[in-house]
Amino acid sequence: MKKEIFIVDDDPIYRLIVSKTIGKLDSSLPINECKNGEIGLAKLEDLKNSKHEIIVLLDINMPIVNGWEFLGAIEKYNFYNLDQLMIYMISSSIDTSDKVKADQYAFVKGFYHKPLTNEDLKIIIGID
Amino acid sequence: MSRKQDFLEKLSVLIIEDNQGDFVLIEDYLIEKFKLISIKHCSDYASGIDYLSKAEEKISVILLDLNLPDLNGLELINSILAHNFQAPIIILTGYSDVSMAKSSLKSGIYDYLVKDEINPAILHKTIIYALNRSSYIHQIEEEKHNYENLFNFNPQPTWLLDAESLEILNANIAAQKIYGITLDDFLKMAFTQLHPKEERKIIMQTLISKEEEEFTKNHFTHFLSDGKEIKVDIYFRKIKNISGDRIIVQSNDISETLKHISTIEIQNEKLRNIAWTQSHGVRAPLSRILGMINMLEEQPDSFDEISFWLEQLKISTNEMDDIVKKIVDETNRFEQE
């Protein structure tokens, strides 16, 4: 099945590191870099009704629309009718309150601390 | 006990007696019963007073004839008592004046002896009793004085209240100084007037209640004479004295303590913010640096890529350095505050 990756994060270096790492694991995967939640939401809306497996690596602290607002909007717009939307929260913070908050969203697939390692990404994108 | 030994060792008696025969008799009895005794004789009131006022030697006891040439009877008793001499006074009297002698016991005379009944044993017993009583009375007076000092010089504001009306009967020096209210003004007040209206009921109920309860609520407000408010804890004990039930009340100014607590709370909030910044701010560039090190370990394709990552490492490290400096600055500023 076709997969597509979204990196929603305001840090360009982080986005570069993640997309390069993913590129090395599987160079065929399309990667969308979004520098804030608003852009991320707009791009997801474009994919409305798609049957792709969509993997979102979502940062928490971002300008304009942050990670929590992003999750709220996803719920509000009924996941844009996307069948397979996998959302992972990726935070540089080690503050446990963020993890607790993320656990309240049943549709969030996982919570990772930065930096994401090769192993983390293999699990997230499903490569053995 | 030491006082008792003192007068047993060395007794000095002043006899104010105009009848030479009576004096000699009493002198004999005294010498018979007391081994170490010095006896001074004055034969009228004026010379007796004169001697007592100037005496260098401490007089242990005064034996006073009730009929002196220059003064007698009640007038004599009142005059000599007015001088407030330390030594106990024992009256020597005839049968005719016994009822007067008896009534003088109420006004401060220690005892009386009917001249015709005196013998060495009675004289001895009377003097020893008088000295013992005098010694106890002095002790009680000294203790009273000590308690007065404990009250007056206690650094905590302390009041003596009437247990029913809560009117102020006394206020110590600390209370006058800290509250800026003179003793005269305190004496016109009830203790509850130091409190704002809404606190008066609970103060009244707790202080007047039969049980000695502590206040369940603390931090009361007291007004000072300049209108300033202070926060206080209040402690009290009920006491009894001859004229009725009293309450001793102390206040402890905790305004500063409360201020310190609120300062600490503000500081804690700032420290929490600093900790948050540590967790978020520092970790952002740090996680990026760790990510870049991972990239470099993956054996980059070209020299250009290595220099790119090294340059980025430098930028992120500087960014982290700035954040650390900012945290140190904030912590310093907060310590100075």
Side-chain angles (χ1 to χ4, degrees):
Chain A
M1 190 191 291
K2 204 184 165 194
K3 285 183 193 171
E4 200 164 344
I5 310 281
F6 280 77
I7 305 171
V8 186
D9 199 300
D10 59 326
D11 182 342
I13 297 301
Y14 161 83
R15 292 199 304 269
L16 181 60
I17 292 168
V18 174
S19 53
K20 273 190 175 277
T21 310
I22 293 172
K24 280 180 184 169
L25 292 170
D26 183 348
S27 57
S28 70
L29 282 174
I31 297 173
N32 298 282
E33 291 187 25
C34 313
K35 65 177 179 184
N36 63 50
E38 191 180 32
I39 294 169
L41 288 169
K43 285 196 176 177
L44 282 180
E45 198 177 0
D46 290 344
L47 292 175
K48 212 189 269 185
N49 302 323
S50 157
K51 301 291 172 199
H52 291 177
E53 184 177 332
I54 294 167
I55 298 167
V56 179
L57 305 177
L58 181 64
D59 185 28
I60 294 174
N61 296 304
M62 287 179 291
I64 308 174
V65 172
N66 71 24
W68 306 122
E69 291 161 346
F70 185 94
L71 292 178
I74 289 277
E75 260 186 323
K76 189 180 167 193
Y77 296 112
N78 205 20
F79 305 90
Y80 298 111
N81 233 0
L82 295 165
D83 275 353
Q84 300 199 62
L85 182 61
M86 317 284 226
I87 297 175
Y88 295 88
M89 301 296 283
I90 317 291
S91 172
S92 61
S93 153
I94 46 174
D95 190 337
T96 48
S97 66
D98 283 342
K99 168 91 173 80
V100 170
K101 197 170 173 185
D103 286 345
Q104 289 167 2
Y105 293 88
F107 58 91
V108 170
K109 293 281 179 292
F111 188 98
Y112 288 88
H113 295 296
K114 289 181 188 175
L116 287 173
T117 62
N118 255 352
E119 310 311 311
D120 293 336
L121 285 166
K122 276 182 188 167
I123 293 165
I124 291 169
I125 61 179
I127 295 171
D128 293 328
Chain B
M1 290 308 279
S2 65
R3 199 179 279 269
K4 200 170 168 184
Q5 278 159 2
D6 271 349
F7 67 67
L8 281 178
E9 279 162 15
K10 197 185 178 212
L11 194 66
S12 74
V13 179
L14 171 66
I15 305 172
I16 309 176
E17 169 64 77
D18 59 330
N19 184 315
Q20 187 64 23
D22 287 350
F23 166 71
V24 171
L25 194 68
I26 289 168
E27 188 184 32
D28 283 350
Y29 292 167
L30 288 173
I31 291 166
E32 185 187 326
K33 283 290 177 184
F34 297 96
K35 288 203 169 64
L36 281 166
I37 188 164
S38 81
I39 298 168
K40 175 68 194 168
H41 180 211
C42 293
S43 50
D44 59 22
Y45 173 73
S47 63
I49 294 298
D50 189 53
Y51 177 79
L52 283 166
S53 316
K54 292 174 182 166
E56 284 173 16
E57 186 191 18
K58 190 176 168 280
I59 297 294
S60 322
V61 64
I62 300 164
L63 299 176
L64 176 69
D65 178 34
L66 211 45
N67 281 298
L68 294 172
D70 51 349
L71 207 59
N72 60 56
L74 207 56
E75 210 182 330
L76 170 62
I77 291 169
N78 291 337
S79 306
I80 196 162
L81 286 174
H83 283 275
N84 245 332
F85 294 119
Q86 289 285 305
I89 299 168
I90 298 164
I91 283 173
L92 307 171
T93 180
Y95 281 118
S96 56
D97 287 329
V98 165
S99 67
M100 185 203 292
K102 269 185 186 166
S103 67
S104 74
L105 297 179
K106 284 176 194 156
S107 51
I109 297 295
Y110 270 69
D111 209 346
Y112 66 91
L113 289 165
V114 178
K115 279 183 179 174
D116 294 335
E117 292 175 350
I118 296 179
N119 62 43
I122 287 176
L123 184 61
H124 177 260
K125 199 175 121 185
T126 305
I127 288 176
I128 295 296
Y129 272 36
L131 288 172
N132 272 325
R133 274 179 54 215
S134 153
S135 147
Y136 288 134
I137 287 168
H138 284 140
Q139 266 181 34
I140 289 168
E141 271 170 4
E142 272 170 27
E143 272 168 30
K144 190 181 154 206
H145 186 67
N146 287 341
Y147 281 115
E148 276 170 2
N149 280 343
L150 273 177
F151 180 81
N152 280 321
F153 298 108
N154 186 328
Q156 274 193 310
T158 309
W159 296 266
L160 180 71
L161 311 182
D162 180 275
E164 278 170 23
S165 66
L166 301 187
E167 273 163 3
I168 295 173
L169 303 174
N170 201 353
N172 75 349
I173 294 166
Q176 297 169 39
K177 228 165 106 182
I178 292 168
Y179 285 71
I181 298 173
T182 64
L183 182 58
D184 282 347
D185 287 338
F186 267 132
L187 296 182
K188 292 172 200 150
M189 295 171 66
F191 186 72
T192 43
Q193 284 172 264
L194 292 170
H195 292 267
K197 281 202 172 60
E198 61 274 17
E199 287 179 3
R200 288 181 188 171
K201 201 175 160 195
I202 182 172
I203 292 289
M204 191 92 108
Q205 282 172 347
T206 314
L207 291 182
I208 292 177
S209 78
K210 293 279 173 259
E211 295 96 56
E212 292 228 325
E213 285 171 2
E214 297 293 325
F215 281 103
T216 44
K217 170 187 189 287
N218 256 326
H219 308 0
F220 288 101
T221 304
H222 267 181
F223 291 121
L224 308 183
S225 68
D226 58 8
K228 214 181 117 194
E229 286 180 15
I230 55 170
K231 294 284 169 204
V232 290
D233 282 346
I234 289 174
Y235 305 94
F236 68 99
R237 277 289 172 274
K238 304 203 164 169
I239 56 169
K240 282 189 188 299
N241 83 7
I242 292 171
S243 28
D245 288 354
R246 303 278 185 259
I247 307 173
I248 288 275
V249 187
Q250 287 199 320
S251 77
N252 181 23
D253 185 352
I254 50 163
S255 311
E256 281 297 306
T257 316
L258 292 177
K259 221 168 89 190
H260 286 152
I261 291 171
S262 101
T263 309
I264 286 167
E265 279 167 358
I266 291 167
Q267 286 178 346
N268 280 347
E269 181 55 34
K270 284 184 182 168
L271 280 174
R272 266 196 295 276
N273 285 338
I274 290 172
W276 193 90
T277 313
Q278 298 242 25
S279 164
H280 289 74
V282 176
R283 248 204 135 255
L286 180 65
S287 62
R288 204 187 301 133
I289 289 165
L290 291 169
M292 286 188 275
I293 290 169
N294 287 344
M295 293 304 296
L296 283 165
E297 278 173 352
E298 292 287 308
Q299 291 167 344
D301 304 334
S302 67
F303 181 73
D304 281 352
E305 207 183 328
I306 294 176
S307 1
F308 171 79
W309 289 122
L310 285 177
E311 183 57 27
Q312 288 304 325
L313 267 177
K314 195 171 153 192
I315 292 167
S316 289
T317 313
N318 283 334
E319 191 186 316
M320 200 165 102
D321 192 33
D322 285 344
I323 292 170
V324 171
K325 277 180 189 156
K326 215 177 114 201
I327 291 170
V328 172
D329 279 354
E330 266 177 38
T331 316
N332 281 345
R333 201 178 327 128
F334 147 92
E335 276 168 359
Q336 281 157 16
E337 279 165 11

